[in-house]
Amino acid sequence: MMMMMCRPTLPSPWPFVIVLLVIMVVMPLAKIVVEGCLASDREALLDFKASLNEPYLGIFNTWLGDDCCRNWYGISCDPTNHRVADINLRGESEDPIFLRAGRSGRMTGSISPSICKLDRLTALIIADWKGISGEIPGCITSSLPSLRVLDLVGNRLSGRIPPDIGNLRKATVLNLADNDLSGEIPASIVQMSSLMHLDLRNNRISGQIPSDIGKLTMLSRALLGRNQITGLIPSSIATIYRLADLDLSMNKISGWIPEQLGKMPVLSTLNLDCNSIGGQIPASLLSNTGLGILNLSRNGLEGSIPDVFGPKTYFMALDLSYNSLKGKIPTTLLGANYIGHLDLSHNHLCGQIPIGEPFEHLEASSFDYNDCLCGNPLRTC
């Protein structure tokens, strides 16, 4: 009986050929897809471009070709997935395209909602073009969850701030200043837990500051000046530990200055001028040694100026003019470390102006229009 020898079956060469073909043909195609601009992103950018007109600098003339990640002015892509990540279009720049033109940019048109199709966008900067109008597309707050910077300063945008702006939980910068926005500050803004820089200056925003604005614990700058904001200064602002710059000037704010503001450890600039604030100046505000710029002018402040200055007092600017302050000028100002600009004019102060610094370098305009101040640089007592 013959023994049958078992031989291992040799594999067919075709599977290996097929795999080799895949590597040689499919992989280069995949590489092209990964390295190029996603077609949907490119179409969204072209739709966005179609709603704008920039006739002077020609920045959109660079938006040519299939790859929007390469040499498209103001466009940056994520190197890992080649999705559009940043749009950075500023009408005022030191970029060579501006230097060659010898001018700043001017762009008209509106911001197309097609921008919301760029769902991996982390920065949207369309700033200082002076002529872009229309409303902020509401879809920005629902379709761009990764947005960290929303900067639309210096245009002619109108309408309201999107009510669900709080959906932008990752945003660190919200700059809508120098536009024509109206309506109230959305209550949802306090949900922007990562927000560090808030600038809504020079609009027509009305209503009150959200009372729970203190929830914005990461905030370092809150700039709300030159609007039509009413109501009180929320005391919760004083709980924002990192807040260094607070501007509520040129509004219609009433009530009084919360004493807690003077106890904020990082606050260095406080502008409350041109409002309808009454009551007395909190002593803590003038004794706060970190506060370097304080403007309380053009309000209805009463009482005397707290006599709480000391050797650590350092004011680059202290403006208490155009109020109803009475009494004498505090002599403790003589012991201050530094007082740069001081304006006490247009009050009801009385008595002799202290002799010595900082009063020796101040002009009469710092003391004019009081009831009975005297001494250098005014008339002799």
Side-chain angles (χ1 to χ4, degrees):
M1 187 174 180
M2 280 183 76
M3 297 278 301
M4 297 279 302
M5 295 290 293
C6 292
R7 295 181 179 179
T9 303
L10 294 175
S12 169
W14 287 109
F16 295 101
V17 173
I18 294 172
V19 171
L20 185 60
L21 287 172
V22 169
I23 293 173
M24 295 176 62
V25 177
V26 178
M27 290 303 290
L29 291 176
K31 186 177 181 182
I32 290 173
V33 172
V34 171
E35 289 187 351
C37 174
L38 198 67
S40 58
D41 282 2
R42 184 175 65 254
E43 291 172 6
L45 286 173
L46 292 176
D47 287 345
F48 164 74
K49 168 188 171 183
S51 66
L52 296 168
N53 179 37
E54 193 287 292
Y56 302 111
L57 302 173
I59 63 171
F60 289 135
N61 293 341
T62 66
W63 288 25
L64 300 172
D66 293 334
D67 190 356
C68 60
C69 295
R70 181 176 298 176
N71 298 327
W72 282 37
Y73 184 89
I75 304 300
S76 301
C77 295
D78 187 325
T80 60
N81 57 26
H82 290 262
R83 296 293 307 278
V84 174
D86 297 344
I87 297 177
N88 188 350
L89 300 174
R90 292 190 180 276
E92 297 176 358
S93 172
E94 296 181 358
D95 188 275
I97 199 170
F98 288 82
L99 297 178
R100 286 194 298 269
R103 59 173 299 160
S104 61
R106 181 172 178 83
M107 189 185 296
T108 57
S110 61
I111 301 175
S112 170
S114 62
I115 207 79
C116 299
K117 296 177 183 178
L118 303 169
D119 56 3
R120 298 297 181 89
L121 209 59
T122 60
L124 178 56
I125 302 172
I126 308 170
D128 298 317
W129 292 103
K130 307 173 186 68
I132 296 177
S133 57
E135 298 187 358
I136 301 171
C139 59
I140 285 177
T141 61
S142 58
S143 301
L144 304 179
S146 300
L147 202 63
R148 296 182 182 277
V149 176
L150 179 58
D151 186 350
L152 306 177
V153 63
N155 291 293
R156 292 175 53 196
L157 298 173
S158 58
R160 296 172 176 266
I161 301 172
D164 53 354
I165 193 75
N167 287 344
L168 300 179
R169 302 290 177 88
K170 294 183 179 181
T172 60
V173 174
L174 177 62
N175 189 352
L176 306 177
D178 300 326
N179 280 287
D180 196 29
L181 298 171
S182 57
E184 299 184 356
I185 301 173
S188 71
I189 201 170
V190 302
Q191 299 169 13
M192 301 179 71
S193 54
S194 301
L195 195 62
M196 301 172 66
H197 178 99
L198 173 64
D199 193 348
L200 305 179
R201 288 176 296 180
N202 197 24
N203 281 285
R204 293 189 296 112
I205 295 170
S206 57
Q208 301 186 21
I209 301 170
S211 60
D212 53 351
I213 194 172
K215 291 181 178 179
L216 297 176
T217 56
M218 301 297 292
L219 205 60
S220 62
R221 304 188 79 200
L223 310 176
L224 309 178
R226 300 195 299 277
N227 279 290
Q228 299 171 16
I229 296 171
T230 56
L232 309 178
I233 301 173
S235 59
S236 70
I237 287 181
T239 65
I240 307 176
Y241 181 86
R242 294 174 171 83
L243 191 63
D245 191 351
L246 177 60
D247 181 4
L248 304 179
S249 63
M250 300 180 71
N251 279 290
K252 299 178 181 180
I253 295 171
S254 57
W256 55 91
I257 302 172
E259 184 179 358
Q260 299 94 314
L261 292 186
K263 300 176 181 179
M264 297 178 69
V266 183
L267 190 67
S268 61
T269 300
L270 177 61
N271 291 320
L272 303 179
D273 49 296
C274 299
N275 280 288
S276 299
I277 300 170
Q280 299 189 6
I281 301 173
S284 60
L285 210 54
L286 297 182
S287 62
N288 185 330
T289 56
L291 198 56
I293 297 176
L294 177 61
N295 192 343
L296 306 180
S297 66
R298 299 179 186 273
N299 280 288
L301 296 170
E302 301 174 334
S304 60
I305 302 172
D307 198 358
V308 292
F309 302 95
K312 294 183 178 181
T313 299
Y314 193 102
F315 278 108
M316 291 178 285
L318 176 59
D319 194 342
L320 307 180
S321 63
Y322 290 91
N323 280 289
S324 297
L325 299 172
K326 298 179 180 179
K328 297 182 178 181
I329 297 175
T331 55
T332 52
L333 276 167
L334 293 170
N337 184 349
Y338 178 77
I339 302 289
H341 172 76
L342 176 66
D343 194 344
L344 304 178
S345 65
H346 295 85
N347 277 289
H348 300 292
L349 299 173
C350 209
Q352 183 174 355
I353 297 172
I355 301 173
E357 284 293 337
F359 301 97
E360 290 182 353
H361 74 266
L362 297 174
E363 298 181 359
S365 59
S366 295
F367 308 100
D368 280 341
Y369 299 98
N370 276 284
D371 287 359
C372 47
L373 280 181
C374 59
N376 186 52
L378 299 180
R379 60 179 177 84
T380 303
C381 292

